[in-house]
Amino acid sequence: MMNKILAKSYLWFLLALLYSPILIIMIFSFTEAKVLGNWTGFSFKLYSSLFSGGMHHSLMSAIVNTFVIALIAATVSTALGSIAAIGIFNMKSRGRAVMNFTNNIPIMNPDIITGVSLFLLFVSFGVSQGFTTVVLAHIAFCTPYVVLSVMPRLKKMNPNIYEAALDLGATPFQALRKVILPEILPGMISGFILAFTLSIDDFAVTIFTIGNEGLETLSTYIYADARKGGLTPELRPLSTIIFVTVLVLLIVINRRAEKQKKE
Amino acid sequence: MNMQQNNYIIEVQNVSKYFGEKVALDNINLKVKKGEFVTILGPSGCGKTTLLRLIAGFQTASEGEIRIAGQEITQTPPHQRPVNTVFQKYALFPHLNVYDNIAFGLKLKKLPAPIIEKKVKGALKMVGMTDYEYRDVDSLSGGQQQRVAIARAIVNNPEVLLLDEPLAALDLKMRKDMQMELKELHKSLGVTFVYVTHDQEEALTLSDTIVVMSEGKIQQIGTPMDIYNEPINSFVADFIGESNILNAVMIKDKLVHFAGHEFECVDEGFGDNSPVDIVIRPEDIYIFDPSDAAQLTGTVTSCIFKGVHYEMLVQTKEGYELMVQDYHCFEAGREVGLLVKPFDIHVMKKERTCNTFEGRMVDEKHVEFLGCEFECLPMTDIELGANVQVEVDFDKVILQDNEEDGMLTGDVNFILYKGNHYHLTVRSDWDEDVFVDTNDVWDDGDRVGITIAPEHIRLNKL
């Protein structure tokens, strides 16, 4: 009994430690005080000024940039990753092992290394940095995750169904579209969501590829803002919104994974 | 000429298939008549599924030619071939319901919807699955899924229906029912069926023609009766049904010597005093209390009730063990007499009477064959480095439990019981077959060491 209570309280202590920073931000997003830590009464003012305030034009554009980049990167990497997964899956066992390993390297690679190496790549090819390079960089680090989430669906698939489609008169492309695609769609959706969230919260890769043309994403905006001295109060409600959005997406991914396991 | 060609719906000519070094199919020749029910039968790994996949187009032949309905289709992709396949694990599309699964091929052909509906309903009726149109395929039982898979194939009116062990995943009762239904279906459709199975009983029940395969080669093609009653070699005899296979000597036409006695038989043309194999089916041996009518006498060593009949093992006085099936029970320990009628003794040509290898003299006391160097009796009349033919009798090859004790190693690949000894095929690590007669019991797949004593290696100049 005592052990149980100890184990439980340890767990709760850990969770509190992990989540207290974000909880503090969330709590203080509902007050007007300029300085974090001052409670001046409950208010939605920060939320309304976040969405209406003309003064934060640059913040709004950073938000828009972030989501546009995430959407493009997630879409492209889902397409690339799914095709790659099908290709890798159909390789001979040795080639497949090599490709799986190669696919895992960028995942384990620290973001900062990915960022620096992409930066050097763009510089050495003389590509001027900006929106395009950020999108390309995000596609590059999101694609391996899509491969990882599509692969289990392919492994679970009855290997004969592709042949069955060919046998019934489908061309290889039709078979891919009408049989393989519906089978791996759940994996593709999970991969898309994962890529989307990864892209939104990325800082290390973005900062190295964003250039100095004035383009800002949320993460770089917040970083610059914090360096200027003190966080803009509106970042508190913004962080809250992003956190909740990501939380919901993660819950959706996990639910899907659980459902797949049950099947 | 042309007319004759049209009689055959499938023609497989000199087809071989290699996977890297491995030979999956070795010069296959097969002709299938229109409307025939052909079964390709063989143990797992014999190449039967590969042959079917070549006909379906999922793989292409390394050599040779395949024709369907007179059309050369060796390199044609599967979606352009007039065949449809029923897969072992059904391979239904899980995201489509029963109706859409069956309509898949018709929709690709862009047939008008009312015609598709009519055809799908017709196919469902044919397999006894009316009212299941809108069911999810995952909610169906194995037998029902297989019916849908069959309906999905036949709805396209293929020239040939290919079935890859379609009943293997079903339980026994279901399998028997489905066998009958398949046979009915074949009759009512009139479509050529090519059916792959490892189940010899299924093959005998269903087929017009059976093709027995082993090790990538066709062993025998014939009607079920032919295959059962006139097996061409000991592999076929052993694979199809229960059988007693014994070494024998053809003394002269219609007289054969085995198990220590001479027997009248009906076969001729093997040559006087030539070694042969004989097959006697267990149900063809008469068993009774000892009397003057007995050709062989012996003691029952085991008696098992098999439902319709009893299966008994009889040890004859001469030391041969025979399997006998009879409606009457003779308990273990009982003295019995046995009799075989001439017509029931089937004589087969021996494929080989001793091991023959290609070898090379290393020095006058050593010869190299099977990838190893063997000591042999001193040879003076053969020059060094010359190629020689090496002969070793089956019973002079010694198998060792401990593989390090052997000069070379291999795996036991095929075991044939010959009444008083076992005839084993051992596949050496360099993929050469060594045939061994032994009294020891080995299991399929056992790893063994092989030794041959110098005095048992016979060398012939080439």
Side-chain angles (χ1 to χ4, degrees):
Chain A
M1 188 63 196
M2 197 57 202
N3 273 343
K4 229 179 178 180
I5 291 169
L6 267 177
K8 278 239 164 128
S9 50
Y10 174 68
L11 183 70
W12 284 110
F13 173 71
L14 267 186
L15 283 176
L17 211 61
L18 281 171
Y19 283 92
S20 53
I22 190 75
L23 270 177
I24 288 168
I25 295 237
M26 283 169 91
I27 290 165
F28 282 95
S29 71
F30 293 104
T31 190
E32 282 177 35
K34 287 259 183 277
V35 182
L36 190 69
N38 276 5
W39 183 263
T40 55
F42 185 85
S43 151
F44 278 118
K45 189 168 166 271
L46 288 178
Y47 282 86
S48 58
S49 76
L50 172 67
F51 290 107
S52 62
M55 57 183 262
H56 294 302
H57 178 72
S58 54
L59 175 59
M60 275 324 279
S61 82
I63 294 174
V64 171
N65 285 340
T66 305
F67 279 87
V68 170
I69 289 167
L71 206 62
I72 298 174
T75 309
V76 175
S77 59
T78 301
L80 285 178
S82 304
I83 294 167
I86 293 170
I88 294 170
F89 180 72
N90 286 305
M91 287 174 114
K92 290 205 176 106
S93 64
R94 219 175 127 202
R96 188 170 5 165
V98 170
M99 285 312 293
N100 273 329
F101 180 69
T102 316
N103 184 59
N104 284 341
I105 292 175
I107 292 173
M108 294 187 281
N109 207 14
D111 278 356
I112 189 83
I113 306 290
T114 311
V116 171
S117 54
L118 282 167
F119 170 72
L120 291 175
L121 179 80
F122 290 135
V123 167
S124 61
F125 278 98
V127 184
S128 65
Q129 303 203 330
F131 187 80
T132 319
T133 50
V134 175
V135 169
L136 285 176
H138 281 213
I139 291 169
F141 76 76
C142 285
T143 305
Y145 289 93
V146 177
V147 173
L148 271 196
S149 64
V150 171
M151 201 58 100
R153 293 295 304 188
L154 285 166
K155 281 188 183 147
K156 230 183 63 185
M157 199 177 71
N158 180 334
N160 284 335
I161 67 166
Y162 174 69
E163 288 175 349
L166 296 182
D167 187 71
L168 293 166
T171 62
F173 182 71
Q174 282 173 321
L176 190 70
R177 193 162 55 86
K178 294 188 180 220
V179 175
I180 307 290
L181 206 63
E183 275 296 283
I184 61 170
L185 194 62
M188 288 170 67
I189 293 173
S190 303
F192 179 87
I193 297 172
L194 195 60
F196 192 75
T197 56
L198 283 172
S199 170
I200 286 179
D201 83 2
D202 178 74
F203 173 72
V205 175
T206 310
I207 197 79
F208 279 104
T209 49
I210 203 157
N212 43 16
E213 305 286 306
L215 181 71
E216 294 278 22
T217 68
L218 254 181
S219 54
T220 58
Y221 177 88
I222 294 169
Y223 175 71
D225 192 51
R227 297 244 303 194
K228 254 185 262 161
L231 282 175
T232 312
E234 276 77 9
L235 283 175
R236 275 144 39 195
L238 182 66
S239 308
T240 308
I241 291 170
I242 291 174
F243 175 75
V244 170
T245 314
V246 170
L247 187 71
V248 167
L249 284 179
L250 280 176
I251 289 171
V252 170
I253 293 177
N254 283 338
R255 280 277 174 85
R256 294 181 66 91
E258 258 168 49
K259 224 172 100 191
Q260 277 178 32
K261 246 186 231 162
K262 267 187 208 150
E263 275 172 15
Chain B
M1 175 66 196
N2 243 343
M3 276 304 289
Q4 206 176 3
Q5 262 189 351
N6 289 341
N7 273 340
Y8 294 111
I9 190 85
I10 305 175
E11 288 166 282
V12 177
Q13 273 177 2
N14 306 326
V15 163
S16 297
K17 174 73 183 171
Y18 310 110
F19 293 114
E21 295 266 292
K22 210 179 159 296
V23 183
L25 292 176
D26 185 4
N27 196 22
I28 297 288
N29 282 287
L30 177 66
K31 288 182 174 181
V32 178
K33 286 201 201 90
K34 205 173 165 67
E36 224 179 345
F37 196 128
V38 176
T39 301
I40 305 172
L41 174 66
S44 56
C46 73
K48 55 188 192 300
T49 299
T50 306
L51 179 56
L52 192 85
R53 291 172 63 80
L54 290 186
I55 298 173
F58 304 135
Q59 274 154 353
T60 47
S62 311
E63 281 164 24
E65 205 176 85
I66 300 173
R67 244 175 273 159
I68 295 177
Q71 295 265 317
E72 208 271 325
I73 51 104
T74 319
Q75 301 295 332
T76 310
H79 63 275
Q80 287 164 3
R81 297 190 181 202
V83 302
N84 285 113
T85 310
V86 177
F87 294 89
Q88 182 180 353
K89 289 183 192 130
Y90 324 130
L92 296 177
F93 306 128
H95 63 286
L96 300 176
N97 64 19
V98 170
Y99 183 95
D100 289 328
N101 260 282
I102 298 173
F104 190 88
L106 302 173
K107 282 182 182 165
L108 285 169
K109 284 186 200 143
K110 303 237 169 9
L111 294 181
I115 294 182
I116 292 182
E117 188 171 344
K118 209 176 127 213
K119 286 196 171 200
V120 171
K121 291 217 160 123
L124 276 170
K125 198 171 164 213
M126 207 152 232
V127 295
M129 292 278 290
T130 326
D131 298 337
Y132 281 87
E133 283 114 311
Y134 300 109
R135 287 279 292 274
D136 202 359
V137 289
D138 284 333
S139 70
L140 302 178
S141 72
Q144 289 170 331
Q145 291 195 28
Q146 195 53 282
R147 280 165 215 259
V148 175
I150 292 167
R152 185 178 69 174
I154 61 173
V155 79
N156 302 295
N157 294 325
E159 297 268 11
V160 179
L161 185 67
L162 305 172
L163 302 107
D164 183 11
E165 308 214 25
L167 309 183
L170 303 178
D171 60 54
L172 184 67
K173 184 78 176 57
M174 191 75 210
R175 201 150 67 214
K176 298 270 180 208
D177 293 347
M178 285 294 283
Q179 280 176 13
M180 287 304 114
E181 283 179 37
L182 274 176
K183 203 154 174 148
E184 285 297 310
L185 201 63
H186 174 249
K187 232 191 256 169
S188 58
L189 286 174
V191 170
T192 313
F193 278 37
V194 178
Y195 190 98
V196 162
T197 183
H198 64 268
D199 182 341
Q200 42 106 359
E201 198 218 308
E202 204 165 275
L204 293 172
T205 313
L206 291 171
S207 329
D208 298 322
T209 304
I210 296 179
V211 179
V212 185
M213 285 188 66
S214 159
E215 313 248 313
K217 289 193 187 104
I218 291 180
Q219 301 290 329
Q220 188 171 8
I221 303 178
T223 64
M225 294 258 278
D226 284 343
I227 300 271
Y228 190 81
N229 291 328
E230 305 281 327
I232 200 161
N233 57 31
S234 51
F235 172 82
V236 178
D238 181 63
F239 192 71
I240 312 281
E242 301 284 353
S243 52
N244 295 292
I245 302 171
L246 301 176
N247 286 333
V249 175
M250 206 71 192
I251 292 173
K252 56 180 190 188
D253 282 352
K254 302 192 181 183
L255 190 66
V256 64
H257 180 275
F258 61 86
H261 290 270
E262 285 178 8
F263 293 82
E264 271 183 53
C265 66
V266 294
D267 297 86
E268 46 191 31
F270 287 89
D272 292 356
N273 292 316
S274 56
V276 291
D277 281 325
I278 59 120
V279 184
I280 307 170
R281 296 292 179 186
E283 68 272 21
D284 291 336
I285 302 179
Y286 294 86
I287 182 167
F288 41 82
D289 289 319
S291 77
D292 292 344
Q295 290 167 308
L296 294 164
T297 54
T299 317
V300 178
T301 53
S302 92
C303 177
I304 298 164
F305 180 57
K306 286 279 188 174
V308 179
H309 60 261
Y310 293 90
E311 191 171 281
M312 289 155 284
L313 291 177
V314 178
Q315 186 82 27
T316 69
K317 281 210 179 92
E318 293 79 14
Y320 290 85
E321 192 179 53
L322 295 172
M323 183 191 281
V324 183
Q325 291 172 350
D326 201 278
Y327 300 124
H328 300 96
C329 174
F330 292 82
E331 309 83 18
R334 214 161 131 183
E335 293 280 315
V336 291
L338 301 177
L339 178 132
V340 192
K341 294 196 167 159
F343 185 78
D344 291 327
I345 299 172
H346 174 63
V347 181
M348 303 179 300
K349 200 168 162 272
K350 263 196 191 299
E351 284 161 82
R352 59 188 76 76
T353 52
C354 70
N355 288 297
T356 321
F357 309 107
E358 276 174 30
R360 194 173 62 84
M361 290 308 292
V362 180
D363 56 48
E364 64 263 21
K365 284 184 75 178
H366 289 91
V367 59
E368 186 190 299
F369 61 95
L370 284 171
C372 289
E373 210 171 281
F374 289 85
E375 197 182 330
C376 60
L377 296 180
M379 282 282 159
T380 46
D381 54 337
I382 300 178
E383 56 195 283
L384 296 187
N387 289 331
V388 288
Q389 187 192 43
V390 184
E391 286 183 348
V392 183
D393 287 332
F394 298 142
D395 56 348
K396 297 298 190 285
V397 180
I398 299 158
L399 298 185
Q400 317 266 13
D401 237 332
N402 198 345
E403 41 181 298
E404 280 97 52
D405 293 344
M407 298 177 196
L408 72 154
T409 55
D411 300 301
V412 176
N413 201 17
F414 179 60
I415 302 171
L416 193 64
Y417 185 54
K418 286 255 181 130
N420 63 345
H421 66 272
Y422 294 93
H423 185 67
L424 309 183
T425 309
V426 180
R427 170 78 38 104
S428 83
D429 295 341
W430 283 274
D431 264 353
E432 281 185 279
D433 284 336
V434 182
F435 302 95
V436 186
D437 280 351
T438 173
N439 289 317
D440 303 331
V441 181
W442 298 91
D443 283 324
D444 213 351
D446 274 354
R447 191 123 184 88
V448 292
I450 302 169
T451 41
I452 306 168
E455 63 272 24
H456 294 132
I457 296 176
R458 284 197 303 275
L459 300 174
N460 300 319
K461 262 199 268 193
L462 278 176

